[in-house]
Amino acid sequence: MVSRVIPVDPFDLVIFGGTGDLARRKILPALFRRYCAGQWPEDVRIIGAARSEHDDSAYRALVADALREFAPERAKDSPSVDGFLARIRYVRIDAEEQTGWAELAGQLTEDRVRAFYFSVGPRLFGALAGQIEAHGMVTDRTRIVVEKPFGHDLQSARDLNATLAGHFDEGQIYRIDHYLGKETVQNLMAVRFGNMLFEPLWNSQYVDHIQITVAETVGIAGREGYYDRAGAMRDMMQNHLMQLLCLIAMEPPAKFDPDAVRDEKLKVIRALDQVQPHHIVRGQYGPSDGEPGYRGAVGNSRSATESYIALRAHISNWRWAGTPFYLRTGKRLVARSSVINVMFKDAPHSIFGADAGRHANVLSIRLQPNEGITLKVTIKEPGPGGMRLIDVPLDMSFAEALGPENQDPPDAYERLIMDVIRGNQTLFMRGDEVEAAWAWTDPIIAGWQARGDVPKPYDSGSTGPGDAELLMKRDGRHWQGIKP
């Protein structure tokens, strides 16, 4: 099965922070892969913008180095690299000064999509937005892309939204969360709303609980300053895991339309109960193999910032009343794994007796690294001598089910940037959605700060602090294993 490549209209894309780490690692390689896929018309233009002293030639050399490092297989094709680099330009820009803005405006083409990617710190968003408007670069086909964090708390999120709204309509603002661009995340909606098999069972009558895990093996190297101010709650739970929770729990939208989908996600966030203190576990990783622990990495022996958080959430609506959602995320864990496990209830009565054991269906949706979906079902163990039941997986991985040409699916940034060009906001967060997420998050953080809670230590390379296991055991449940 070969995936279709749907061409996009001509566009100009300006990358503010075009020499930075995100541009080099993600944005430029994603654009290069879409170019290699033949998704662009010939006259697309990509303009890097930053404070560094570069001309077009020097910036193209920087881009070529980034492709060799972060898109190595495709970058071996010299004609493709040369064709891509021919579309690259560079303008020296200072967001808070007048340098380069007239030159940038002069390089943009009339009557086409023009997208501005804010690959910079949030403190510069307002200045960039103001300069774009002041220099006449806002048209009805202008879009801006902003990276998280979308504020540090509810008030800062409101301030940021108000700043951007002063220069752009909400329909022009694309708040990007790369998790929503993953193939399997989008398949959540296909599995739920495209299969009659699941939707009748997708409620508290049949689902015992749902687990959402985003585990990372890396620490915080290179992000110490930001991370010690944010922590796992702000960095991951408030956005990535919140978005996964919304997609797994939301009601069917009337149609697959950006605002219809986002309306249903917003309802989920607003229906979340406040989390009780005894339903929260925070942790900090310790040192291992010559690597410092969390406090050593941030240079603060008394840091109370969490590198791990697990919590139990409840959604107060008819579909999910009484069904707990267990969410966890952390650094320096045993494996890199992002997975959603839908744990169905046991059969109400077993005709096979106690010796057969207890068995329940589990739907596992793997987001990374091995994207796919597994449904665990109960069968008879082969062989004579009675009815012994075992659980076996009905497993679908994209690589096996869709053929070798789909073993390397598009990166999330590829899909999301092309959605910006198309003007499709379905996979991007709306301003009211961001504010609702912070309204739920802020009291949780304020609570542990008021109580003076200190994160529990946990070993690097483990599954997290032991208290996270107790969080589940108190409810007679257990976490599914963190597997690569």
Side-chain angles (χ1 to χ4, degrees), residues 91-110:
V91 176
R92 183 175 177 272
I93 285 274
D94 190 314
E96 299 172 306
E97 297 180 3
Q98 296 305 309
T99 305
W101 287 100
E103 180 185 353
L104 176 61
Q107 292 206 24
L108 300 178
T109 309
E110 294 293 333

Side-chain angles (χ1 to χ4, degrees), residues 125-340:
F125 287 178
L128 290 174
Q131 294 278 24
I132 292 169
E133 183 180 37
H135 288 84
M137 290 181 275
V138 179
T139 72
D140 58 357
R141 304 187 75 189
T142 295
R143 289 121 199 207
I144 64 167
V145 185
V146 294
E147 283 274 353
K148 76 176 187 73
F150 312 117
H152 185 76
D153 53 20
L154 176 56
Q155 187 56 53
S156 60
R158 284 174 172 164
D159 292 344
L160 177 57
N161 282 339
T163 297
L164 296 177
H167 305 284
F168 303 96
D169 294 334
E170 179 64 31
Q172 295 177 300
I173 303 170
Y174 290 71
R175 298 169 185 84
I176 190 168
D177 183 338
H178 70 274
Y179 261 68
L180 296 186
K182 292 181 180 294
E183 191 72 40
T184 322
V185 173
Q186 294 173 74
N187 255 320
L188 282 175
M189 287 185 280
V191 167
R192 282 200 56 196
F193 307 130
N195 294 281
M196 192 60 186
L197 172 66
F198 291 117
E199 183 58 23
L201 308 179
W202 214 263
N203 55 60
S204 60
Q205 183 177 352
Y206 297 102
V207 175
D208 180 77
H209 70 282
I210 292 175
Q211 302 179 19
I212 302 176
T213 297
V214 178
E216 301 178 276
T217 56
V218 298
I220 59 167
R223 304 176 70 211
E224 293 87 352
Y226 159 74
Y227 200 93
D228 204 39
R229 294 191 304 272
M233 186 70 184
R234 290 186 174 99
D235 184 55
M236 295 291 289
M237 186 69 71
Q238 183 271 342
N239 40 75
H240 294 332
L241 276 79
M242 176 72 73
Q243 289 298 306
L244 298 180
L245 171 65
C246 288
L247 291 175
I248 207 76
M250 71 185 201
E251 294 298 316
K255 54 186 175 179
F256 191 60
D257 166 87
D259 276 331
V261 170
R262 295 187 295 179
D263 285 346
E264 296 303 333
K265 288 164 59 184
L266 179 61
K267 291 176 185 177
V268 172
I269 300 173
R270 289 179 171 169
L272 281 168
D273 292 340
Q274 276 304 308
V275 180
Q276 300 300 311
H278 60 285
H279 289 159
I280 303 169
V281 177
R282 299 164 66 231
Q284 283 181 347
Y285 64 81
S288 69
D289 299 328
E291 294 291 326
Y294 178 83
R295 291 182 173 182
V298 300
N300 180 359
S301 62
R302 302 181 66 182
S303 174
T305 301
E306 73 285 352
S307 62
Y308 174 101
I309 186 165
L311 56 81
R312 170 178 164 170
H314 287 270
I315 300 171
S316 289
N317 62 19
W318 278 38
R319 181 182 291 267
W320 296 115
T323 301
F325 290 74
Y326 298 92
L327 287 68
R328 62 175 170 171
T329 182
K331 300 284 190 184
R332 286 279 187 88
L333 297 180
V334 65
R336 174 176 174 261
S337 177
S338 296
V339 62
I340 299 170

Side-chain angles (χ1 to χ4, degrees), residues 359-362 374-380 390-394:
H359 299 270
N361 303 121
V362 180
T374 299
L375 176 62
K376 189 177 291 185
V377 298
T378 301
I379 67 167
K380 176 188 176 296
I390 58 173
D391 295 328
V392 296
L394 301 177

